[in-house]
Each structure stands twice: as structure tokens, then as C-alpha cells.
Amino acid sequence: MRITVIGTGYVGLVSGVCFAELGNRVICVDKMEAKIDQLNRGEVPIYEPGLQPLISANREAGRLSFTTDLRASVEASELVIIAVGTPSLPNGQANLSYIEQAAAEIGQAMNGYKIIVTKSTVPVGTNERIRDMIRQHTEEVFDIASVPEFLREGTAVSDTLNPDRVVIGTDSARAAECLVELHSRLTDHLIVTDIRSAEMIKYASNAFLATKISFINEIANICEKVGADVTKVAYGMGFDKRIGSSFLKAGIGYGGSCFPKDTQALIQIAGQMDYDFKLLKSVVDVNREQRYNVIRKLEGLLGNLAGTTIGVWGLAFKPETDDVRDAPAFEIIAELHKRGAQVQAYDPVAVDNFRKEYGSDGIVYCSTAREAAWQADALCILTEWKEFQELEPLEVEGWLKSPYLIDGRNIYEEEQLSGTNIVYYSVGRPGMNSGLKEPAPLLSL
């Protein structure tokens, strides 16, 4: 099949490359000339394991190309996939300007029947607006469909080629047949539904996963007060098939390009329908507040943070990605700077992206984990990179000025800390919080 993918961000680039890997002829389009030039040089603008070799192999095979020429790409294709960004507006609504621009340009380039697929996460009813906008510019016959993505950064290639399910929303039997054929090599779990339900499935899925994260963080906070271990609680919960074990890892909350944006957008969608989504609002509040536990624990250890030096390991919102969008590190480092602390920060791949977004006020960017921890008054782990997990706490203790370690991702186990003098705080595991232990209160029965 001849496919054009509009947008070369995480969703567009990974989707396009994977469709080429399946044997389709794919053209990836982006208005940013610098990004297209980079891709044509064989360079990848995002850090995503496994993506580089697939790009190289499919370019050499002639199945994959990159261009800024949207019109020519649409004219040459049977299937056009919209995968542009839908960032949040200040009020939390999704910004659809890139979607609208793409729809208008597609309409102007139409030269025969095509299927227009939206992979971008969009509010319910957006695909119908896309259809109306395209119709303003063409009399050609076309169909629209919503095929939302469910990839995870860091495992995006695997998630695309081995999805849990593929959701296809369309009111056209012709489009449904084509899209089922296209995706049938990926999974047997193909869900064909109406367009609005497909749009809602994406938002509902992300909102539910965000809810699980905020829920387990609330449980972790209670565990710290009653003397329970959240990792054991989550382990026991996970065996219940109604609950499942995924997304039950306590920490400092979710970030990234999807959960924060999509939860806010769904709250706005509900509000526009005169419905107050109280549960999801609480999920967002819990997530925001969870990040500040790091600050509270540092103040409990060091008192006034003015004049202190705080080491930070991890700037990306999760490991195996250089994406820093809505990473907890932003708010935590900003609060440290506000309180007069100097930050020494390190991340294996995300330093450049973080520097572009945050700047350099009150922060020294380091080239190694050791440099970030060196002579710091305390060390905070904000991203669970494997590199950090492989460092021995005894060695880390020797780097620090004071042996204070705030583990916001629970990367260390008790046996790793034995034999050290580290004053340790993790999330929801009070039995491991050496130097910070408070006896669990007796509960009234």
C-alpha cells in the first residue's frame, strides 16, 4: 500500500517506519526542513531504541522516504495518516490548529479516492470536522477513520509492531476493509467501531492508566504512615485479574506527552458537555502534589535548602527516551531553585532537551552520574534509568558530601543499602527509610 504520514514526531515517525517494515511504501512528511534534512542524512531526531536500524534498512530498500512536499506525497498515496501534535492550550483543551492545517492541505492535494486516517489524539467529534474541512477543498470521494495509537515511548517500535489491540473507527465499510487488511499482520485483536467511540477509547484508556498511577501513589503515601510496603501491596493487588499488575509502581507521578495532556483534555471535553469529571480532576491533583514529596523530604533532612547543593539523576519523564515533556524534574528543580538550592543534574540522553526547555538558572548540567552526585548535600533520583540501578550505593555514598538519598523511583532494594551509612528515602516503603523512620501509629480497632 502507498502511505503518506503527516508529522514526524514519536507517533508519525514510528508509525511510518513500522508500516514500511511491513512492506508498504511510506512517505513521511514534515514542514520542518531541518528535521527532514536530518532524517535524509540517516539521523534520528528522537531517542527511541530500535528505530535507527529500521529507518536505515527501509530507506535502503526504497520503501521509506522523507520530504516537506505534502501535496506530492498525498497525490502519490492511497492512505494518508495525520499524526501531527495536539498540544494543550492554556485552558487544557487540545490545540487542533495543526490538525486543521493538515486537513486543509490534504483537501487541496486530493486527486482521487483516499482514506484519511487520524492517529493524533483528538477530542470526540474531531474526525467529523476533518471530513468537513477536506470537503471544503475537494470534490473527490474520500473516507475518514480514527486509528488511535497506544505506543509507549521507550518501547514504541515494539508496541507498534506487537500491539495489544488496534482500534479502527470508521463509518465506511470500504475503509474498514482496507484498514483491517493493513493492520491484520500486527495482531488478531482488531476492534472496528464508530469514529466517536474510537476517539473516546484513546482518552479513556490514558485516563484510566493515569488513575492507576495516582491511586498507587496515594496508597504509597498511606503505606508510609501505617508502616506497610507499597511494593508488596502492589504485588498482591496485581494478581487479581480484575486489577492487573501494570501501572502499579509508586513514584513521583506520571509525565510525558500523553497522560498530562490527555487527562486535561478529557476534563475539558466533559466540561463542555456540562459534566464535572471529579475523579479525573483528583487524579491530576494527586499527580501534581506527588512531585513535591521530594522537596518535603529534602527539607526534612536539610532544613532550609538555601545554599545547599542537590544532585539530580534523571531529567526525562521515563527511561529509554529523551522526552522531557511535563517531566517531574521541571517542577522539582524549579522549586529547588526557588528555595535557593544549586542543582547538579545528569541524564543519559535528555540533558540537551531539558536545557532547551528549562535553561540554566540554578542548574549545572553534568556529563556523568558521578559528577552530578559529587559533594552534593543530597541526591534525588527522578528517572529510573538502568545506569543508575547498576551503581552500587556504597560507591555513591563516597561521592556525596552528606549521605542523603531521595529515591523517587524505588530503584534500590534493602540488601543493596546494607553496609552503607546512606540516609535513604523511597516512596511508600517506610521500612527502608533509614534515618527517616517514624514508628507506625497504633491503629484503633
Side-chain angles (χ1 to χ4, degrees):
M1 183 173 289
R2 301 188 307 276
I3 301 173
T4 282
V5 180
I6 302 174
T8 59
Y10 269 97
V11 175
L13 184 57
V14 173
S15 296
V17 171
C18 289
F19 280 130
E21 179 69 9
L22 293 176
N24 302 285
R25 297 184 69 85
V26 178
I27 307 171
C28 292
V29 182
D30 201 292
K31 287 186 173 295
M32 297 179 62
E33 291 187 12
K35 183 184 286 190
I36 293 300
D37 290 342
Q38 187 177 5
L39 287 163
N40 280 324
R41 291 194 303 268
E43 301 171 5
V44 183
I46 58 176
Y47 179 85
E48 185 61 41
L51 189 58
Q52 173 75 69
L54 288 184
I55 290 177
S56 299
N58 284 283
R59 286 187 70 223
E60 291 175 8
R63 293 189 296 266
L64 179 66
S65 60
F66 303 98
T67 183
T68 58
D69 192 340
L70 186 146
R71 174 179 286 274
S73 302
V74 171
E75 289 176 348
S77 299
E78 307 160 79
L79 178 69
V80 180
I81 297 174
I82 301 174
V84 297
T86 54
S88 294
L89 293 168
N91 65 357
Q93 290 181 341
N95 182 348
L96 299 179
S97 60
Y98 301 116
I99 292 278
E100 293 168 352
Q101 184 178 1
E105 293 186 32
I106 290 169
Q108 293 162 8
M110 292 284 285
N111 62 339
Y113 174 78
K114 301 181 191 299
I115 301 171
I116 314 301
V117 171
T118 304
K119 270 201 168 293
S120 305
T121 302
V122 294
V124 177
T126 299
N127 277 274
E128 294 162 15
R129 289 177 58 186
I130 291 172
R131 176 169 53 201
D132 293 341
M133 292 193 69
I134 294 174
R135 279 180 175 161
Q136 292 175 16
H137 298 279
T138 185
E139 295 182 358
E140 300 285 357
V141 176
F142 65 93
D143 286 316
I144 63 168
S146 174
V147 183
E149 54 80 22
F150 299 97
L151 59 82
R152 299 165 296 173
E153 293 179 28
T155 58
V157 172
S158 175
D159 289 345
T160 303
L161 293 174
N162 303 281
D164 293 331
R165 81 289 202 194
V166 172
V167 176
I168 299 168
T170 184
D171 55 8
S172 163
R174 182 179 180 182
E177 182 180 359
C178 176
L179 291 170
V180 166
E181 181 181 354
L182 176 65
H183 293 91
S184 60
R185 289 181 57 189
L186 300 176
T187 179
D188 294 330
H189 300 138
L190 299 173
I191 303 166
V192 180
T193 184
D194 62 280
I195 294 175
R196 290 197 169 209
S197 293
E199 292 170 330
M200 191 64 178
I201 286 169
K202 170 65 177 186
Y203 277 114
S205 296
N206 279 355
F208 184 76
L209 295 176
T211 299
K212 287 188 75 173
I213 293 170
S214 285
F215 177 83
I216 200 63
N217 282 333
E218 288 280 71
I219 294 298
N221 295 337
I222 297 172
C223 284
E224 291 182 11
K225 295 182 178 298
V226 302
D229 186 327
V230 72
T231 59
K232 296 175 182 177
V233 173
Y235 182 73
M237 291 171 60
F239 278 97
D240 190 323
K241 294 179 180 179
R242 298 168 300 175
I243 298 173
S245 60
S246 62
F247 289 84
L248 288 180
K249 186 174 182 181
I252 53 175
Y254 58 78
S257 62
C258 291
F259 288 179
K261 173 176 68 71
D262 292 352
T263 50
Q264 290 287 0
L266 187 51
I267 289 169
Q268 290 296 320
I269 292 168
Q272 290 169 8
M273 297 296 105
D274 198 28
Y275 185 81
D276 186 10
F277 203 153
K278 298 184 182 69
L279 174 61
L280 198 54
K281 287 180 178 179
S282 295
V283 167
V284 172
D285 290 342
V286 167
N287 189 66
R288 184 182 300 112
E289 185 67 16
Q290 190 71 11
R291 301 177 177 189
Y292 294 108
N293 280 345
V294 172
I295 304 297
R296 286 189 283 269
K297 293 302 178 181
L298 283 171
E299 290 180 326
L301 287 168
L302 301 172
N304 189 341
L305 298 180
T308 62
T309 297
I310 307 299
V312 168
W313 283 356
L315 300 172
F317 84 94
K318 63 179 287 189
E320 300 302 327
T321 181
D322 61 353
D323 195 345
V324 299
R325 285 174 288 183
D326 206 45
F330 278 108
E331 288 171 302
I332 292 170
I333 290 175
E335 284 298 317
L336 290 172
H337 177 56
K338 182 179 178 181
R339 286 164 168 75
Q342 175 75 30
V343 173
Q344 299 175 170
Y346 168 72
D347 188 285
V349 301
V351 167
D352 289 343
N353 284 349
F354 195 89
R355 184 190 283 115
K356 290 175 186 176
E357 296 295 326
Y358 183 86
S360 299
D361 286 346
I363 182 170
V364 175
Y365 294 100
C366 302
S367 57
T368 66
R370 182 181 186 274
E371 183 183 352
W374 187 252
Q375 293 302 292
D377 294 293
L379 174 65
C380 300
I381 301 173
L382 306 186
T383 314
E384 61 274 35
W385 283 95
K386 186 177 180 181
E387 174 184 337
F388 305 151
Q389 298 175 34
E390 293 175 344
L391 289 169
E392 291 297 332
L394 185 61
E395 183 179 16
V396 175
E397 180 186 347
W399 300 342
L400 295 166
K401 179 180 178 181
S402 304
Y404 298 146
L405 176 56
I406 311 295
D407 183 356
R409 296 300 185 182
N410 290 355
I411 71 170
Y412 289 129
E413 300 298 333
E414 190 167 7
E415 56 269 20
Q416 293 175 277
L417 297 167
S418 62
T420 75
N421 295 311
I422 288 178
V423 178
Y424 181 77
Y425 166 73
S426 62
V427 181
R429 301 185 297 174
M432 291 184 61
N433 292 350
S434 58
L436 292 172
K437 290 181 181 177
E438 297 179 3
L442 293 176
L443 303 179
S444 299
L445 301 177

